Amino acid sequence: MDSKQLYQEVILDHNKKPRNYGPLESATHSSEGLNPLCGDHIWLRLHVDDDHIDAVAFEGQSCAICKASASMMTMVIKGKTVDEAERLVAEFRSMATGELDATSQPNHLGRLVVFAGVKDLPSRVKCAILPWHTLHAALANDRTVSTEGDQDPVGAPE
Ligand code: ZN
């Protein structure tokens, strides 16, 4: 299976059966993510205990790429420390914008590299990144994040 086929399989699978989808009653952190360009609108809720993300759930209305990205993100970050999750936010963002070549440069993205191809689809980059921006905002206790505007929600000026 080539990477394009794998990408399509993953998007279809997670879109049909999103993982960790729904509310989270015990959430300690939450954030709402908006991507007006596409209409993606998600809520992400986390339960962080002793610096570990021990529960995570998302819900909302979004396109297939955003939903698949959110679904895979929740699987990957569960059990991770806050620092590990933030590192993944930075790496995913770099990969999706083409700064990081996840197939040749070292990273911790694992199966998330399936999203590497979005860098060639400029209109989809924000869809794929939205859940990660929302995660970053939730961990920073920002209630709402939007991909709209000049402000980069992840910041990280160099
Ligand atoms: Zn979208």
Side-chain angles (χ1 to χ4, degrees), residues 90-124:
E91 289 185 354
F92 189 93
R93 182 173 163 277
S94 297
M95 174 179 72
T97 55
E99 289 162 47
L100 170 73
D101 181 352
T103 56
S104 65
Q105 291 173 273
N107 63 78
H108 306 83
L109 292 165
R111 62 187 132 175
L112 293 165
V113 299
V114 75
F115 286 96
V118 298
K119 70 175 192 295
D120 300 322
L121 305 166
S123 65
R124 290 301 181 198

Side-chain angles (χ1 to χ4, degrees), residues 13-51:
D13 176 48
H14 283 267
N15 203 39
K16 205 157 68 177
K17 292 176 293 181
R19 318 303 202 270
N20 304 302
Y21 190 86
L24 185 67
E25 306 238 320
S26 60
T28 55
H29 295 65
S30 66
S31 191
E32 179 182 12
L34 293 160
N35 174 18
L37 212 63
C38 171
D40 303 315
H41 189 184
I42 61 170
W43 284 264
L44 183 72
R45 298 184 183 93
L46 308 165
H47 185 265
V48 179
D49 187 31
D50 198 22
D51 206 37

Side-chain angles (χ1 to χ4, degrees), residues 35 37-41 61-67 123-128 130:
N35 174 18
L37 212 63
C38 171
D40 303 315
H41 189 184
Q61 300 293 323
S62 65
C63 67
I65 290 172
C66 181
K67 191 188 268 184
S123 65
R124 290 301 181 198
V125 170
K126 285 181 174 179
C127 300
L130 181 66

Side-chain angles (χ1 to χ4, degrees), residues 2-13:
D2 69 22
S3 64
K4 215 170 222 156
Q5 280 175 309
L6 180 64
Y7 171 74
Q8 279 166 356
E9 288 273 310
V10 167
I11 301 287
L12 282 174
D13 176 48

